[in-house]
Every structure is written in C-alpha cells, then in structure tokens.
Amino acid sequence: MTIRKAVILAAGFGTRFLPETKGVPKEMLPIVDRPVIQYIVEECVAAGITEIVMVTALGKEVIEDYFDLDPELERLLDSKGDTDRLQHVQRLHQMADIICVRQKGRAGNGHAVLAARAVVGDEPFAIFFPDDVIISDSPAIGQLADVYNRLGTTVLAVQEVPREEVVHYGVIEPETIEPRLHRVRSIIEKPTMEQAPSNLTTVGRFVVTPHLIDVLDRTPPGHSGEVWLMDAFDPLSREEPVYVFQYEGERFDCGQPLGLLKASLRIASQRPDLATGVLDYAASITLDKS
C-alpha cells in the first residue's frame, strides 16, 4: 500500500533552546529563511505523502497558523508585484493537507502517536521526529517507503554512530539481510557502551504498520511515567517483522543549538544567493584563544 499519511510529533517543550522556546516553538526556529517544520513537510511532499497530521500542544498554535491561508498578506504581495515571495507564501497552504491535533499533556512520544490514531486509521503511515532534518538527493522517508512497499512491514531509519555515542540512542541488534537493510532482533534504548549490540542507532524517521497503534495501547509508561515509541518497537518486532534501513543523506539534530547552526550553514552554502558570502565569512572566523 502506498504511504499516504504522515504523523509529525511537534508537542515537545524544546528545553535545549530555552529561553527562546518559552515564546517560540522549537519547530518554528529558522534554518536560513524557513522554519525547521517546513523542511519536514517538504520531505513528506517530495516523497508523495499528501496527508499530514501534526501532533502539537498548548502554545504551539503558530505552527498551524504558519501553514494556513493569509489573504491579507497575499493581497499585499500581489499589489507590490512581489511574485516570488507570493508564490512561496501560497505554497505553504497548497502543498499538503495538514491537520493539527493536540496531545493532551506531554506524556511521551508514543502517547503523541496515539493522539493521531483517528486520523491515520487502519493503514500504514510515516512518523517524523522534526528535530531530525535530513538533507539528501532522495527524501529519507521515501527511501523507507520504498523498503516498506517491498517488504510490507515496519521499517525504521538508522545511522552508524561512534561507539561512545550509542548511549544517547535506541540501538539495534541487527540481522543483516542485504547492504543497508537489517531485520531487528531487538532494540535497546540508551544502553551503556558495554550493553550495546551494535552501533546502529535509530533516527527520527519511521514507516509503520497500523499494528503499532495496538502495541502502543498496551505499552506501559516508563520510569518517567511517559509512553515512548521506542519501547513499542521491541515488542512489535516479536509480533511481526521489523526492519531497519541505513538511509542515504546527512542528518542534523536541530533540537539542539549546534545542530541547528550546522544545518543553517550547510543549507546556506548550497544556495547560489548565499553560498559565497557564507563561506567567505566562515573562512574569516578565527578563534579567540585569549
């Protein structure tokens, strides 16, 4: 079945960006001249996903507003003959059907997925963690969808990380099927270096069967009292095959300041109108060692 729907989990506090995120959702922080969340929506659209569910929370209304029609702004741009900016603004409300639902209390990302169940229904769907911005020739979620269409079961994006970094991620115990593709034998969330069965770690892109909803329904809250998506994937892998795929692309963790800065520099360096100025300035920076 073609993947038509995506769930974007955008209800988090964004504490690593405080105090900025006290007033602006972290998903609306800019990478050059577009907010982080727009890059995620554009990845969906590039992969042929046209129905998007954003799970938000109190104080995140600006995300929904951003993708809404703004007739007054469009009339202003039209009257000025500013066709380029007008087209950019119009594209925001034209590129996909976007529905926003509220997570009633921030009770974990698994709980957030359950908030979207009425919209995704009984069909496979994609899940995004919007902190992860991935730059690639082929959209990362599309790469996973291709694997799903071939195998007909859940597939998660993974990356290789240095061994000392496995403590920050969900780590896969893999059974290699072919280059880049592995079947999941187990998943360990944030293990010690000694416990980690590999250095393959999950990234915020997933294509899942609707059975995940059933598993999440019976996944108990963790020690923090929250229901986590990663805690459902391990039992899911015992009930149906779950695969992981090493996607092609460059990932930026835009949920923390350094990652957002790196993404901004990377994307600006690819734009003809910005590349020369950005690269010249970056080359001129010297560290003050005093």
Side-chain angles (χ1 to χ4, degrees):
M1 182 183 291
T2 301
I3 307 302
R4 301 186 305 120
K5 297 180 179 179
V7 176
I8 300 175
L9 306 181
F13 281 114
T15 53
R16 289 185 287 180
F17 278 101
L18 285 170
E20 172 67 15
T21 45
K22 189 173 185 294
V24 178
K26 65 176 179 176
E27 298 83 8
M28 292 301 295
L29 296 176
I31 300 176
V32 188
D33 53 5
R34 287 178 284 169
V36 168
I37 194 75
Q38 185 173 340
Y39 290 88
I40 306 304
V41 172
E42 288 174 345
E43 183 181 330
C44 287
V45 173
I49 297 172
T50 56
E51 299 178 43
I52 298 171
V53 186
M54 291 190 187
V55 182
T56 65
L58 184 68
K60 301 254 185 169
E61 297 83 359
V62 66
I63 296 175
E64 186 172 3
D65 292 344
Y66 182 75
F67 291 99
D68 202 358
L69 176 68
D70 189 337
E72 185 176 357
L73 176 59
E74 292 185 17
R75 283 194 298 270
L76 174 66
L77 294 171
D78 187 42
S79 69
K80 290 178 158 185
D82 196 342
T83 305
D84 186 55
R85 287 191 176 90
L86 176 61
Q87 289 175 345
H88 282 299
V89 168
Q90 289 175 329
R91 184 168 179 267
L92 294 173
H93 61 81
Q94 293 172 349
M95 60 183 170
D97 293 325
I98 298 175
I99 298 170
C100 291
V101 299
R102 283 281 185 95
Q103 182 180 13
K104 304 300 192 295
R106 292 175 172 94
N109 53 33
H111 178 265
V113 173
L114 290 174
R117 78 166 93 203
V119 185
V120 297
D122 189 26
E123 64 180 274
F125 60 98
I127 301 173
F128 287 79
F129 292 173
D131 283 358
D132 289 334
V133 171
I134 299 174
I135 299 173
S136 56
D137 293 332
S138 173
I141 202 66
Q143 296 174 45
L144 298 190
D146 288 344
V147 176
Y148 181 92
N149 290 336
R150 181 154 60 100
L151 301 176
T153 193
T154 294
V155 55
L156 322 178
V158 291
Q159 63 182 355
E160 288 186 308
V161 301
R163 192 76 185 182
E164 61 272 16
E165 293 182 15
V166 295
V167 297
H168 303 298
Y169 298 95
V171 180
I172 306 300
E173 181 185 0
E175 175 189 338
T176 300
I177 305 300
E178 60 187 53
R180 294 185 174 273
L181 180 65
H182 316 270
R183 182 165 177 172
V184 173
R185 298 180 66 183
S186 67
I187 302 176
I188 303 175
E189 179 67 6
K190 296 182 179 178
T192 64
M193 286 175 57
E194 294 72 27
Q195 291 173 325
S198 74
N199 67 334
L200 284 176
T201 63
T202 55
V203 174
R205 299 290 187 278
F206 317 89
V207 173
V208 301
T209 66
H211 185 49
L212 175 68
I213 298 293
D214 300 327
V215 176
L216 279 169
D217 261 334
R218 48 188 159 84
T219 299
H223 67 276
S224 61
E226 298 172 321
V227 177
W228 296 103
L229 187 59
M230 209 53 58
D231 290 340
F233 282 133
D234 192 50
L236 179 67
S237 71
R238 294 192 289 271
E239 298 179 20
E240 65 181 31
V242 173
Y243 291 85
V244 297
F245 183 72
Q246 292 173 258
Y247 64 92
E248 295 182 355
E250 185 176 4
R251 167 190 172 258
F252 297 90
D253 179 4
C254 294
Q256 50 92 12
L258 182 58
L260 189 71
L261 286 169
K262 286 181 176 179
S264 296
L265 287 170
R266 180 75 166 85
I267 289 171
S269 71
Q270 293 178 316
R271 282 184 37 170
D273 60 327
L274 297 174
T276 300
V278 166
L279 294 174
D280 286 350
Y281 178 69
S284 74
I285 296 174
T286 58
L287 294 177
D288 184 357
K289 299 183 184 296
S290 60

